C-alpha cells in the first residue's frame, strides 16, 4: 500500500506543526511516521 502523504509533504507538515505549536499528540504522530519511514528529520523542540 502506498502512503497517502509523500515523504516530502510529511516532513513539511511536521515542521509546520511544530512551528505552529499544534497539539502535541498530532506532532508526535507525524514524528512517529517519519521514524517509521526512516526519514532524516531535523529535530525541532516542542514548546512546553
Amino acid at each position: 500500500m502506498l502512503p497517502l502523504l509523500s515523504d516530502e509533504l510529511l516532513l513539511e507538515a511536521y515542521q509546520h506543526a511544530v512551528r505552529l505549536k499544534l497539539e502535541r499528540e498530532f506532532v508526535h504522530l507525524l514524528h512517529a511516521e517519519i521514524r517509521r519511514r526512516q526519514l532524516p528529520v531535523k529535530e525541532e523542540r516542542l514548546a512546553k
Side-chain angles (χ1 to χ4, degrees), residues 10-26:
L10 174 61
L11 292 168
E12 189 175 318
Y14 171 73
Q15 291 169 347
H16 284 296
V18 171
R19 211 171 294 124
L20 295 171
K21 299 178 182 165
L22 299 183
E23 289 288 328
R24 188 174 292 268
E25 182 62 28
F26 177 67

Side-chain angles (χ1 to χ4, degrees), residues 9-19 26-28 30-32 34 41-46:
L9 284 177
L10 174 61
L11 292 168
E12 189 175 318
Y14 171 73
Q15 291 169 347
H16 284 296
V18 171
R19 211 171 294 124
F26 177 67
V27 174
H28 285 295
L30 293 173
H31 193 258
I34 289 169
V41 63
K42 181 177 118 184
E43 295 291 329
E44 299 189 35
R45 299 182 91 167
L46 295 175

